[in-house]
Amino acid sequence: MGKRCLAEFFGTFWLVFGGCGSAVLAAAFPDLGIGFAGVALAFGLTVVTMAYAVGHISGGHFNPAVTFGVWAGGRFATKDIVPYVVSQVAGGLAAGAVLYVIASGKTGFDPTAGFASNGYGAHSPGGYTLAACMVAEFVLTAFFLLVIHGATDKRAPAGFAPLAIGLALTLIHLVSIPVTNTSVNPARSTGVALFQGSWAVDQLWMFWLVPILGGIVGGVVYRCLSAPEAGSQDLGAVHKSAARA
């Protein structure tokens, strides 16, 4: 369990540092930024790279909503949920701290301006209401878990799960950055919200509650769609098979 938790810590660190770092440092660079599409790709690439790097150790969740989703899908033990979630949040906070140190090296840096935090209402990038943001986060997280379950099903082609999952996360960000700045991951939201320090902390409840509910629903739906024997292989076993391939 110690090694699995470390893998989750490092994987979540990379996701938050790479994804949020691209948003804070590169999205709107003075002359030529990477924009929404670049940030979306960055988040997808973090998942692809770390799923191949450490997914065979821990299963490559890097996200409390994924942990709850694979548990709901019957592929994860209840006793392992808390250690995984603690490791993921710790990784997100560590990434937020490192990103804060780097970003504060630029004159005029102000974390209260946003710091890649997720928000709704007045703090939604596009001014979307709480209800709209909740629907977006719920639906996108549920479908993210459908992709994860399907790509890691033992009947799926071996070795391609990280690519499918990373592309799904890229698509999710392309859709919802204007809505909530895209969470679908409570650890990602927490990792930067605490450094933003004001409205992001006040709104953090939604980016825990809704993605976890969406993840659970996605896991349950895939479990219902799948034959009883089809989804029995956990994510770690799938990634080990991919590594051998």
Side-chain angles (χ1 to χ4, degrees), residues 10-27:
F10 289 122
T12 311
F13 177 98
W14 190 238
L15 186 154
V16 175
F17 182 73
C20 294
S22 70
V24 171
L25 304 175

Side-chain angles (χ1 to χ4, degrees), residues 118-121 124 127-143 176 179-184 203-215 217:
N118 303 115
Y120 56 80
S124 158
Y128 288 84
T129 64
L130 171 60
C133 293
M134 292 179 77
V135 170
E137 289 289 327
F138 180 88
V139 170
L140 291 170
T141 311
F143 273 86
S176 61
V179 183
T180 62
N181 220 16
T182 310
S183 173
V184 302
Q203 296 191 350
L204 189 57
W205 67 270
M206 196 278 272
F207 299 104
W208 272 88
L209 176 64
V210 176
I212 286 175
L213 290 177
V217 169

